Amino acid sequence: MRAPAQDGGPPLLRVEGVRKHFALTKGILLTRTLGHIKAVDDVSFEIRAGETLGLVGESGCGKTTTSRIILNLEEPTEGRVLLDGEPIHGLKGRALNAYRAKVQAVFQDPWSSLNPRMKVGRTIAESLIVNASGDRAWGNRARIDERVRELLLQVGLRPEQAQQYPHEFSGGQRQRVALAAALASRPKLIVLDEPVSALDVSIRAQMMNLLKDIQAQDDVAYLLVAHDLATVRYMADHTVVMYLGKIIEQAPTAALFEDVRHPYTKALFSAVLVAWPGRQKEEIELKGEVPSPLNPPSGCRFHTRCPWVMPRCSQREPALREVSPGHFVACHLFDNA
Ligand code: SF4
């Protein structure tokens, strides 16, 4: 399945037909393969410089595995990922370090990326040095201190806070520190994995506005992995919806929120209180659990839970079709679209 083209210049990141299947093994030496968990199954999309792509779906849909493949923490079983036209898997040594400098991550829990025994200024400085890829300028202490000050100011903290430890910050401030560390290497892409979901509602808007301001200044692209649709609606230019390892709907965010097409996306949207001016919210109850990715349902993977299921749904897998400009849906209801 080809990556649906989006408007604009050449993509910064291109994900092409990526699959990730994990072998499920048994026995003392784990040599007996019982099957394969199809965590990601033929996923394609693109992200352009300065753009945010939202990746949404229930837990187990494959969005975390997809982001780990993009961060080069997992090798795909099939397919490839390209940054600026260059494949990212198989990189080693300096080339891999250079990739890590260009593609950074901010996670839901900033504690996971901050050392509690290290002053935050040093954490940011270490990120700067580790990702410097041999740039000798970062051997200069005064330059490092100056850049740490700049980064703290950029994320809305005071330069003197470099001398504080993580526990002296609030949750929102710690997330700002994690963002400063991610920005240290001037990345082209940041994977934001649920970046505001652990924050108080009042702080979320500040963090989202900060992320947008930084994007406008630095032209950095974001891959926003989130389950909160309000965050995706506010932040993302394009949205990709995944179900059981597959992309089932993909569109410019405004078009998606204006006209949801896929039954699963409709159910996702109806399950949350999304401010949706001028539209009647369709109540669709999602019945049952997400099936096992070890043995996904035949045909359309959503057919065991879909209120509109038809005989052909369990027999044939629906292709991702363009149903309106830039809006792609994988559902047999649109076979004649
Ligand atoms: Fe429902 Fe069939 Fe569409 Fe799948 S293909 S979402 S089962 S109508």
Side-chain angles (χ1 to χ4, degrees):
M1 207 175 283
R2 214 194 88 58
Q6 293 157 12
D7 297 337
L12 168 69
L13 185 95
R14 189 173 200 141
V15 176
E16 287 184 354
V18 162
R19 293 178 202 270
K20 182 68 189 179
H21 298 176
F22 295 100
L24 190 68
T25 52
K26 202 181 169 192
I28 296 172
L29 298 175
L30 302 176
T31 45
R32 245 184 79 209
T33 303
L34 298 180
H36 287 89
I37 295 171
K38 295 172 181 163
V40 176
D41 214 6
D42 197 8
V43 161
S44 301
F45 57 81
E46 296 172 352
I47 308 179
R48 293 191 152 69
E51 173 185 277
T52 300
L53 184 117
L55 201 52
V56 297
E58 286 169 293
S59 107
C61 71
K63 56 190 194 302
T64 300
T65 305
T66 304
S67 64
R68 285 179 60 79
I69 290 169
I70 291 169
L71 286 167
N72 213 337
L73 300 173
E74 299 275 1
E75 291 269 338
T77 310
E78 222 181 288
R80 57 184 194 159
V81 178
L82 302 108
L83 185 80
D84 285 330
E86 297 294 325
I88 67 158
H89 292 101
L91 296 175
K92 297 214 169 21
R94 281 191 172 205
L96 181 58
N97 288 346
Y99 179 76
R100 298 223 187 284
K102 286 182 207 159
V103 180
Q104 290 279 316
V106 173
F107 298 101
Q108 177 179 358
D109 175 15
W111 281 115
S112 61
S113 45
L114 301 178
N115 182 338
R117 285 192 285 273
M118 205 183 265
K119 289 178 181 171
V120 302
R122 194 165 149 219
T123 297
I124 298 169
E126 290 216 340
S127 175
L128 191 59
I129 294 160
V130 165
N131 291 305
S133 292
D135 183 345
R136 290 188 180 188
W138 299 116
N140 177 325
R141 183 73 216 207
R143 277 253 359 241
I144 292 173
D145 289 348
E146 180 53 34
R147 179 77 181 126
V148 169
R149 273 195 292 275
E150 270 173 31
L151 286 161
L152 286 169
L153 283 169
Q154 192 179 11
V155 299
L157 295 171
R158 298 189 311 278
E160 58 272 25
Q161 289 179 293
Q163 299 308 317
Q164 295 179 343
Y165 290 91
H167 72 267
E168 297 176 74
F169 292 85
S170 66
Q173 287 176 321
R174 272 194 292 276
Q175 197 59 304
R176 286 170 189 258
V177 173
L179 181 60
L183 288 168
S185 59
R186 300 190 195 277
K188 294 183 167 197
L189 172 71
I190 303 181
V191 174
L192 301 169
D193 192 350
E194 303 280 5
V196 298
S197 54
L199 305 180
D200 288 347
V201 175
S202 56
I203 310 290
R204 281 185 194 181
Q206 289 174 16
M207 191 68 196
M208 288 193 286
N209 286 333
L210 173 64
L211 287 163
K212 282 190 148 209
D213 289 347
I214 286 170
Q215 186 170 56
Q217 284 160 21
D218 294 359
D219 209 27
V220 62
Y222 297 138
L223 173 66
L224 173 66
V225 179
H227 70 276
D228 176 37
L229 293 172
T231 305
V232 173
R233 186 182 191 193
Y234 186 66
M235 294 280 300
D237 301 291
H238 285 82
T239 300
V240 167
V241 184
M242 291 184 72
Y243 183 77
L244 220 52
K246 294 264 182 199
I247 293 179
I248 51 98
E249 187 157 13
Q250 174 171 0
T253 303
L256 181 70
F257 277 75
E258 184 56 37
D259 189 13
V260 184
R261 300 293 188 97
H262 195 282
Y264 171 67
T265 319
K266 285 188 179 187
L268 261 192
F269 278 42
S270 96
V272 292
L273 290 171
V274 179
W276 206 338
R279 278 187 76 96
Q280 193 81 34
K281 194 152 77 77
E282 233 174 312
E283 295 292 341
I284 301 163
E285 196 187 342
L286 254 189
K287 293 206 173 89
E289 296 294 310
V290 181
S292 165
L294 184 60
N295 191 15
S298 59
C300 170
R301 292 185 178 189
F302 188 56
H303 85 256
T304 52
R305 303 169 83 196
C306 179
W308 286 275
V309 63
M310 303 174 280
R312 78 185 101 145
C313 298
S314 58
Q315 291 155 13
R316 277 205 333 265
E317 189 180 336
L320 200 57
R321 290 174 202 284
E322 191 169 24
V323 293
S324 57
H327 194 150
F328 293 78
V329 183
C331 171
H332 287 308
L333 291 172
F334 300 93
D335 279 354
N336 300 321

